[in-house]
Amino acid sequence: MRKSPRAPLSPEASAVISAFSLSRRTLMRGALGSSALAATGGALAACGTKGQTQTAETCVSEDRSGTEKTLVFSNWPLYVDVDADDESKRPTLEAFTARSGIAVTYNEDINDNNEFFGKVQNQLAGCQPTDRDIIVLTDWMSARLIRLGWVQKLDRAKIPAVEKNLLSSLRNRSFDPANEYAIPWQAGLTGLAYNGNVTGEVRTVDELLTRADLKGRVTALAEMRDTMGLLLQSNGHDPANFTAAQFDDALAKLQKAVDSGQIRRFTGNDYATELAKGDIAAAIGWSGDVIQLAFEDEKVRFVIPESGCILYADNMHVPNKAAHKANAEALIDYYYDPVVAAEVAAYVNYICPVEGASAEAEKLDPELASNPLIFPDETVTSKAKVFMALDEATEKTYEQKFQAVIGA
């Protein structure tokens, strides 16, 4: 079991989201770096999927779960509990097999959303099997697959634990309001970061973008949804439900910060090294990355802005033509047992999406259970928003506008 390192953080971030060297977002961005490809070429090319949409009627999937007690689960690396004495063993998966009789082939073969999209795009567009029964993808890619009709609708009667225990902050998301296609595996936050060795506390997005002592010492993320989500909130708008005019207002605010020289550059996860060294004073960043830095230096801190933060999740899907949908639903439901969820949370240290897991975590580690960024309290959830799902045309328009401002 992997425990949370104990590093003093800002009031909201008094403990740890991530205990391993690469966060979900680090992995997702690391393959693309800070180049324009992260939000333009690769992402926009992948959007060009006209004529490739499917429906339950055009792409019929046969479920062989009744006769085949097996499933294939594709996930990100380092994203499930591992036995401390034998890293080839994954205790909760083994317990699921013992309980259900369903053998699980577990693959850590998702390292980047766009890369994985490219890997399965032809099969899903052509209503062909991907040889996977569960895949885990980040919100914006989840929204795209749902929009394209490439994932199966789940039988809610077969996932009662999800119905009962899914955190309220992860319900009713715009891209899957009924939680029928995308079930959160783990979640995280986008907010602010600063290095207290070289600057004072940074509490708001407006401070980040205008404070004179930070000029030229700030970075922001090249991921449109993260940076623009925070700016929308700083203008008093809801990133889960905003207008084109509100997006443009937030973009104008960003343009002003770029033109003034306040923002040094836009990055992928490579801001973390600069922040740790004090080469930059503050940044828009991902909680897991920043908190890892706090393990080494308690003056590097993650902050939930006063106006709010962005909540993202990596979601479980059953792709079209998956042959073991009922088996997959059994596994999804199993991981929403608070006892099981607490075991996973104790290892991965991300935001646990399961209500009631904190009480079970108390038995494993009281500090883990009291961590509001693993088991969010009202202070965190009231400020966290999921970025609005976009149709293909709007996504392309917003990305192009954003890229023009950041100079990519």
Side-chain angles (χ1 to χ4, degrees):
M1 183 184 301
R2 185 174 299 185
K3 299 289 186 179
S4 306
R6 313 302 179 197
L9 303 172
S10 63
E12 294 89 349
S14 59
V16 179
I17 287 180
S18 176
F20 39 84
S21 60
L22 294 177
S23 73
R24 296 276 66 70
R25 287 293 176 105
T26 301
L27 283 165
M28 187 170 75
R29 304 297 166 217
L32 297 177
S34 59
S35 70
L37 179 62
T40 52
L44 292 180
C47 289
T49 50
K50 261 186 183 176
Q52 299 180 2
T53 58
Q54 298 287 350
T55 66
E57 290 72 34
T58 63
C59 188
V60 178
S61 302
E62 177 190 359
D63 189 359
R64 300 199 295 269
S65 296
T67 57
E68 298 177 3
K69 295 301 181 183
T70 185
L71 70 86
V72 178
F73 185 176
S74 282
N75 206 347
W76 300 74
L78 306 173
Y79 219 15
V80 73
D81 54 307
V82 173
D83 190 292
D85 299 318
D86 184 349
E87 293 189 358
S88 68
K89 294 183 178 180
R90 300 179 176 94
T92 58
L93 281 171
E94 293 182 2
F96 170 75
T97 296
R99 178 188 299 187
S100 66
I102 299 169
V104 180
T105 299
Y106 186 78
N107 298 320
E108 296 181 329
D109 59 346
I110 303 177
N111 290 297
D112 174 86
N113 283 282
N114 278 318
E115 176 189 336
F116 188 77
F117 182 91
K119 189 183 296 185
V120 299
Q121 177 178 4
N122 289 339
Q123 292 100 311
L124 291 174
C127 188
Q128 299 297 317
T130 63
D131 299 323
R132 297 170 175 88
D133 299 298
I134 298 176
I135 56 177
V136 178
L137 297 168
T138 307
D139 287 332
W140 61 273
M141 185 60 77
S142 296
R144 182 184 295 171
L145 264 63
I146 293 169
R147 185 176 73 223
L148 291 168
W150 289 359
V151 292
Q152 297 186 51
K153 184 177 180 179
L154 301 173
D155 184 345
R156 293 171 67 174
K158 293 183 179 178
I159 49 173
V162 176
E163 291 287 295
K164 178 182 179 182
N165 297 324
L166 177 62
L167 287 182
S168 59
S169 57
L170 291 168
R171 295 178 185 266
N172 304 314
R173 295 176 294 172
S174 59
F175 60 87
D176 185 26
N179 299 111
E180 295 175 312
Y181 295 93
I183 306 301
W185 173 253
Q186 301 292 314
L189 300 172
T190 304
L192 305 180
Y194 70 93
N195 186 328
N197 294 298
V198 298
T199 191
E201 185 178 41
V202 180
R203 301 299 303 171
T204 71
V205 173
D206 286 347
E207 280 186 69
L208 186 81
L209 298 184
T210 63
R211 219 168 74 187
D213 66 303
L214 296 176
K215 186 172 182 177
R217 305 167 68 206
V218 168
T219 62
L221 292 170
E223 167 54 50
M224 182 268 290
R225 290 163 179 82
D226 291 302
T227 292
M228 291 304 295
L230 290 187
L231 265 72
L232 281 160
Q233 286 175 311
S234 74
N235 279 351
H237 301 309
D238 184 354
N241 184 21
F242 60 88
T243 66
Q246 290 168 346
F247 181 89
D248 288 345
D249 284 346
L251 196 63
K253 187 174 190 174
L254 184 65
Q255 181 75 69
K256 186 175 180 180
V258 171
D259 292 344
S260 71
Q262 185 79 4
I263 297 176
R264 177 182 296 184
R265 68 188 185 99
F266 292 82
T267 75
N269 67 284
D270 46 330
Y271 71 90
T273 301
E274 294 182 46
L275 186 68
K277 292 179 178 178
D279 293 341
I280 59 170
I284 293 175
W286 294 304
S287 51
D289 293 343
V290 178
I291 292 172
Q292 288 166 35
L293 301 180
F295 301 164
E296 302 298 326
D297 185 349
E298 65 182 35
K299 290 189 176 181
V300 178
R301 301 194 170 203
F302 178 76
V303 175
I304 295 175
E306 292 178 1
S307 53
C309 59
I310 299 300
L311 173 66
Y312 64 87
D314 294 329
N315 305 287
M316 294 179 281
H317 303 275
V318 177
N320 285 353
K321 304 303 284 188
H324 307 103
K325 178 172 175 281
N327 293 347
E329 289 165 334
L331 184 140
I332 291 169
D333 198 63
Y334 164 78
Y335 274 101
Y336 271 73
D337 179 332
V339 174
V340 178
E343 291 184 51
V344 176
Y347 187 85
V348 305
N349 297 151
Y350 269 78
I351 291 179
C352 179
V354 179
E355 196 78 55
S358 59
E360 296 301 327
E362 179 79 26
K363 302 171 187 176
L364 301 173
D365 182 347
E367 281 192 70
L368 176 78
S370 65
N371 183 342
L373 292 180
I374 297 176
F375 300 106
D377 57 17
E378 179 62 25
T379 302
V380 174
T381 59
S382 65
K383 291 188 172 184
K385 293 285 189 176
V386 176
F387 196 89
M388 183 172 72
L390 305 174
D391 60 40
E392 185 172 330
T394 304
E395 181 178 12
K396 185 175 181 179
T397 297
Y398 285 173
E399 289 280 14
Q400 288 175 336
K401 288 183 175 183
F402 180 69
Q403 293 304 310
V405 170
I406 72 173

